[in-house]
Amino acid sequence: MNIKEIVQTPYTTSPRFTPIDFVEFKEYLQDDFEERLIEYNTLMGDMSFESETAENLKLVKKTSEVMNIEPFNDIIEMGLEIPDDVIIMYKGKVEAAFVAMASSWNPRTVQGKTLEEVHQPVADNEMLLKASDGIWRSMTSGKSFHRHVWGISPLKKLSNHPRHKKPEFKSLDDLYFRIEHERTLTVDKDTAAFFIDVEVLPLSKIFQLKNEYKDLIKESINSMSENILAYKNLEEVKEMINGTT
């Protein structure tokens, strides 16, 4: 893992997408399936949905066929049978989603929204909003793209859905480094899918990989605006990593 490819300094909300040849999934282990099933049984409508448009146009089936896997009939079946979270968009709007490992947001709130509308709650979002139309054009361009999003959380589990209460933390050793691997897939000229794979590692382990990783993360956090720090719940982390608490 190269943290230098994931953590930006200075930090910016401007999206960085890298072209990839194809969307590749990690091995789907039984423990991963069981964790996703627990999240579904716990959150249900707060983590998955399929609009009438998606059902009528069979967007889930079309997406799975482009993935060259056995066609799925609905978003629940797809979401439980692949290791990644998935969001399917049609004509620029979110029409289906199965997001078991959300990072502090409720997937239900994005149904029917454009990328610009989805990004409205993001702090310091000006550049992200301007890029939204371009991101959609890239998603339906026939090419696939990848980007990283990172965060720090006191929750060890992959899901940081807002319905899961986050524990208090007393030191950096109580925290976890979250990495989202986001990949896009063109289905047709009007349809695209967005896949999300989440990794969670103890923050202390990241610091142990290379000495400069702690300095890099510290520098990135110190470059964030107050709005970003509040949005990413890093205000107390900033104090700890700078030794001011």
Side-chain angles (χ1 to χ4, degrees), residues 113-121 128-130 132-133:
K113 291 184 177 181
T114 64
L115 286 174
E116 185 173 357
E117 291 169 332
V118 169
H119 293 145
Q120 281 292 341
L128 191 54
L129 295 182
K130 289 180 181 178
S132 294
D133 286 345

Side-chain angles (χ1 to χ4, degrees), residues 1-18:
M1 178 185 300
N2 187 352
I3 299 300
K4 293 179 180 178
E5 294 179 354
I6 299 170
V7 178
Q8 296 173 278
T9 300
Y11 182 85
T12 174
T13 58
S14 179
R16 295 188 305 169
F17 284 91
T18 303

